[in-house]
Amino acid sequence: QVQLVQSGAEVKKPGASVKVSCKASGYSFRNFGITWVRQAPGQGLEWMGWINTYKGNSKSIQKVQGRVTMTADTSTSTAYMELQSLRSDDTAVYYCARDQSGWGSLDHWGQGTLVTVSS
Amino acid sequence: QSGLTQSPSVSGAPGQKITISCIGSSSNIGAGYDVHWYQHLPGTAPKLIITANSNRPSGVPDRFSGSKSGTSASLAIAGLQTEDEADYYCQSYDRNLGGLVVFGGGTKVTVL
């Protein structure tokens, strides 16, 4: 069965970086992209970006552009999302999800990773 | 204008039918892009319940149905059950965002 398993919770200070992993299993990793979504406390879902796991190209929202790096390691079927220059408003649960096209539906999700940014 | 607008909350008694709206614009839903719906329970990952406007993934009860017309879309839940109490989000593509995707603000469904 399709599974996406994310790395554990992180606590970071403002200005630091965090790297969240998302290990996929149960399907051909290269055939589907990975979307990253986050939810800040008390807020709704925010689509952050998407990576084509086969070609390696990605796109992201303006709010995190220049601070986010999305990568994919096809040898281990793992996607990564690194967010730099962390701010308090980056505190959120970060989810990875499978998305073939980059604008389609997200049919399988990781369990979520809580990233807390606090001094 | 970009973005999708949802009512913050909807409530209904067990067994009733409720409808959640997702209002878009000519740059997203009105441009013909598909709308997808997710159910999100606290502490869990969101779950896809409607894909491509009106299609239910395997395992989703037929109490859930989706539709799209013009610049808006709707999710209906018939025969409301207590386990349907959750947040619901619509999602679509928006060409005004440079090829990016947007979620609605979410609707909290309360079962009275």
Side-chain angles (χ1 to χ4, degrees):
Chain A
Q1 72 283 18
V2 174
Q3 275 194 311
L4 297 173
V5 179
Q6 298 182 224
S7 49
E10 304 262 13
V11 179
K12 297 291 183 180
K13 294 192 182 301
S17 299
V18 68
K19 191 170 187 177
V20 179
S21 66
C22 170
K23 183 170 177 58
S25 62
Y27 71 98
S28 178
F29 184 67
R30 292 186 178 194
N31 288 351
F32 292 81
I34 293 290
T35 286
W36 291 91
V37 174
R38 68 181 179 181
Q39 184 177 38
Q43 304 298 309
L45 301 178
E46 180 178 44
W47 189 94
M48 289 182 65
W50 174 84
I51 180 168
N52 180 321
T53 55
Y54 180 62
K55 295 183 177 181
N57 58 296
S58 63
K59 56 183 179 180
S60 61
I61 58 175
Q62 190 171 14
K63 185 185 294 188
V64 298
Q65 266 181 16
R67 295 197 297 131
V68 70
T69 303
M70 288 175 282
T71 56
D73 183 342
T74 56
S75 68
T76 59
S77 298
T78 303
Y80 298 91
M81 188 282 299
E82 182 175 23
L83 191 58
Q84 302 171 321
S85 302
L86 288 168
R87 312 185 295 235
S88 57
D89 62 354
D90 291 318
T91 294
V93 177
Y94 289 75
Y95 295 98
C96 62
R98 191 179 79 161
D99 174 7
Q100 190 166 38
S101 63
W103 61 80
S105 58
L106 308 175
D107 62 352
H108 288 87
W109 294 64
Q111 81 277 20
T113 296
L114 174 62
V115 175
T116 303
V117 182
S118 174
S119 54
Chain B
Q1 183 180 355
S2 304
L4 305 174
T5 301
Q6 297 181 238
S7 298
S9 63
V10 171
S11 61
Q16 281 189 328
K17 178 179 180 179
I18 62 169
T19 301
I20 299 167
S21 63
C22 176
I23 301 171
S25 66
S26 58
S27 65
N28 43 62
I29 299 175
Y33 298 114
D34 286 336
V35 178
H36 317 292
W37 290 90
Y38 302 86
Q39 178 191 62
H40 192 197
L41 295 159
T44 70
K47 175 185 177 183
L48 177 68
I49 56 172
I50 295 290
T51 182
N53 309 313
S54 59
N55 299 286
R56 279 187 311 276
S58 174
V60 175
D62 60 6
R63 303 184 293 103
F64 294 90
S65 62
S67 63
K68 186 180 100 167
S69 179
T71 58
S72 65
S74 295
L75 171 71
I77 309 176
L80 196 62
Q81 299 182 6
T82 54
E83 59 260 37
D84 298 333
E85 189 161 290
D87 296 319
Y88 292 82
Y89 294 88
C90 58
Q91 175 218 333
S92 188
Y93 176 90
D94 195 311
R95 63 187 181 194
N96 279 359
L97 296 178
L100 301 180
V101 174
V102 64
F103 284 102
T107 298
K108 170 67 177 177
V109 168
T110 301
V111 181
L112 302 172

